[in-house]
């Protein structure tokens, strides 16, 4: 009785060890995919957009070797003779995120300034409409409002 | 986006938070906010590439997909790309495209260009590797190669009740 019990106990332990061994490469694969998988993820998105396909097959014979294994060779030493430039620095503008800017509530609010993020239906008469960084604001001294639709304005951080 | 190269443009930008238009007829640039009936005009006399640079530098105004106006011109810097890869072909909608991936510093970008006699960009993906969450922007392009608009779309005439407002120059900190 005693012997058979200890045998039973050994088995689950071994299974545990095996399981942990199996987990390690899995985690590694997940990390690698995150790092270098940009190209592949993008390609998947491209195909998802397809719909009905014309009768023509992709030809990948000219694709670089790295295409097959984006994870390990996402940087190829290709000699680019005629390249193009993408100005990718597109994150600093205010084009579409007045609300996001408003969410950053300043820690210290002056006694006279309205709280950033608060909304009003009527803005002070001294407000002047201006464009800054491509967005229109109502500037009222040190308080800046952005139009929210309807008759609502939201207090935002001064854009400069 | 309606464009006549080298110096005419009308961009309608619609988002959840605001609608704006950028209008340029080669002489006058206008920023127009229909919902508020606000507009601002700036005299200008240059190509679209020059306009883009000036708007960004002086007013902090960025055009969507402004790279479209630099590619294929002398303004496209040829020395920024560190590595490149031909990633084969893929479909974007019904168009067979050549897929290329590039790396510039902390930025990876990929482009899908229609294979054949009309090599137009159909998709662009930009990945920021400087941030560990790898934020991406994804752009899809649909082209109308037989546009029917008239040149008058590039002229702006302030509608009744519209208010001209000041466009403040970008402040440098």
């Amino acid at each position: 009785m005693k012997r058979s019990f200890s045998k039973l106990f050994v088995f689950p332990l071994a299974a545990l060890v095996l399981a942990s061994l199996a987990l390690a490469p899995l985690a590694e694969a997940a990390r690698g995919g995150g790092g270098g998988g940009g190209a592949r993820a993008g390609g998947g998105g491209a195909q998802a957009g397809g719909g009905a396909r014309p009768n023509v097959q992709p030809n990948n014979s000219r694709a670089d070797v790295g295409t097959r294994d984006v994870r390990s060779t996402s940087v190829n030493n290709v000699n680019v003779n005629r390249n193009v430039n993408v100005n990718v620095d597109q994150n600093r503008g205010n084009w579409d995120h007045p609300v996001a800017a408003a969410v950053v509530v300043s820690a210290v609010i002056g006694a006279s300034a309205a709280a950033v993020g608060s909304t009003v239906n009527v803005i002070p008469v001294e407000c002047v409409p201006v464009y800054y960084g491509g967005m229109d604001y109502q500037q009222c001294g040190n308080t800046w409002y952005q139009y929210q639709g309807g008759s609502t304005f939201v207090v935002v951080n001064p854009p400069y | 986006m309606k464009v006549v190269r080298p110096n005419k443009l009308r961009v309608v930008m619609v988002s959840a938070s605001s609608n704006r238009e950028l209008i340029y007829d080669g002489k006058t640039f206008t920023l127009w906010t229909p919902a508020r009936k606000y507009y601002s005009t700036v005299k200008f006399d240059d190509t679209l590439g020059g306009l883009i640079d000036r708007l960004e530098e002086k007013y902090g105004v960025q055009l969507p997909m402004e790279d479209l106006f630099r590619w294929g011109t002398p303004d496209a810097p040829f020395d920024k790309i560190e590595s490149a890869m031909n990633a084969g072909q893929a479909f974007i909608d019904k168009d067979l495209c050549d897929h290329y991936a590039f790396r510039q510093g902390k930025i990876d970008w990929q482009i899908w260009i229609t294979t054949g006699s009309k090599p137009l960009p159909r998709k662009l993906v930009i990945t920021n590797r400087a941030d560990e969450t790898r934020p991406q922007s994804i752009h899809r392009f649909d082209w109308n190669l037989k546009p029917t608009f008239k040149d008058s779309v590039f002229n702006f005439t302030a509608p009744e009740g519209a208010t001209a407002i000041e466009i403040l120059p970008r402040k440098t900190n």
Side-chain angles (χ1 to χ4, degrees), chain B residues 67-95:
Chain B
D67 298 300
L68 285 178
F69 303 104
R70 293 207 175 92
W71 287 337
T73 76
D75 294 336
F78 286 171
D79 54 354
K80 297 281 165 56
I81 294 172
E82 291 164 14
S83 66
M85 180 175 80
N86 178 341
Q89 294 187 317
F91 282 104
I92 304 296
D93 295 334
K94 291 180 181 176
D95 292 350

Side-chain angles (χ1 to χ4, degrees), chain A residues 133-154:
Chain A
M135 300 293 295
D136 60 287
Y137 295 88
Q138 294 284 342
Q139 186 189 6
C140 324
N142 291 326
T143 303
W144 293 67
Y145 294 91
Q146 268 186 342
Y147 182 63
Q148 288 288 92
S151 60
T152 310
F153 292 84
V154 62

Side-chain angles (χ1 to χ4, degrees), chain A residues 53-146:
Chain A
R53 290 287 153 72
N55 189 20
V56 50
Q57 289 300 314
N59 170 10
N60 286 319
S61 60
R62 283 178 56 242
D64 292 327
V65 179
T67 309
R68 309 263 174 252
D69 185 2
V70 175
R71 181 163 73 97
S72 63
T73 54
S74 61
V75 178
N76 283 3
N77 289 320
V78 175
N79 182 16
V80 183
N81 293 318
R82 189 185 168 284
N83 49 29
V84 291
N85 173 56
V86 168
N87 175 6
V88 284
D89 188 10
Q90 306 208 347
N91 296 324
R92 95 188 79 97
N94 308 320
W95 279 121
D96 290 309
H97 301 290
V99 178
V103 168
V104 185
V105 178
S106 41
V108 180
I109 296 161
S112 61
V116 170
S118 62
T119 57
V120 295
N121 288 329
V122 179
I123 53 174
V125 287
E126 71 267 24
C127 293
V128 179
V130 292
Y131 280 118
Y132 187 82
M135 300 293 295
D136 60 287
Y137 295 88
Q138 294 284 342
Q139 186 189 6
C140 324
N142 291 326
T143 303
W144 293 67
Y145 294 91
Q146 268 186 342

Side-chain angles (χ1 to χ4, degrees), chain A residues 45-54 56, chain B residues 90-97 112 122-123 140-143:
Chain A
Q47 288 183 352
R53 290 287 153 72
V56 50
Chain B
F91 282 104
I92 304 296
D93 295 334
K94 291 180 181 176
D95 292 350
L96 183 62
C97 293
W112 287 257
R122 293 286 274 111
K123 180 176 175 178
R140 297 284 290 253
F141 305 98
D142 290 311
W143 296 86

Side-chain angles (χ1 to χ4, degrees), chain B residues 52-161:
Chain B
I52 290 163
D53 289 343
R54 181 76 173 153
L55 286 179
E56 162 108 44
E57 178 192 311
K58 179 154 188 199
Y59 297 109
V61 172
Q62 283 189 307
L63 256 72
M65 293 323 305
E66 59 188 34
D67 298 300
L68 285 178
F69 303 104
R70 293 207 175 92
W71 287 337
T73 76
D75 294 336
F78 286 171
D79 54 354
K80 297 281 165 56
I81 294 172
E82 291 164 14
S83 66
M85 180 175 80
N86 178 341
Q89 294 187 317
F91 282 104
I92 304 296
D93 295 334
K94 291 180 181 176
D95 292 350
L96 183 62
C97 293
D98 293 315
H99 176 193
Y100 300 96
F102 301 90
R103 175 158 289 180
Q104 295 176 206
K106 289 293 184 186
I107 299 293
D108 284 356
W109 60 279
Q110 304 167 71
I111 193 164
W112 287 257
I113 299 171
T114 311
T115 306
S117 62
K118 293 197 173 89
L120 291 166
R122 293 286 274 111
K123 180 176 175 178
L124 177 67
V125 173
I126 300 168
T127 307
N128 179 0
R129 290 187 305 116
D131 186 316
E132 63 184 19
T133 63
R134 302 282 195 270
Q136 275 191 337
S137 68
I138 299 174
H139 310 263
R140 297 284 290 253
F141 305 98
D142 290 311
W143 296 86
N144 177 357
L145 298 181
K146 290 175 184 166
T148 53
F149 57 77
K150 294 179 179 146
D151 267 10
S152 57
V153 301
F154 303 115
N155 301 323
F156 176 77
T157 308
E160 200 169 328

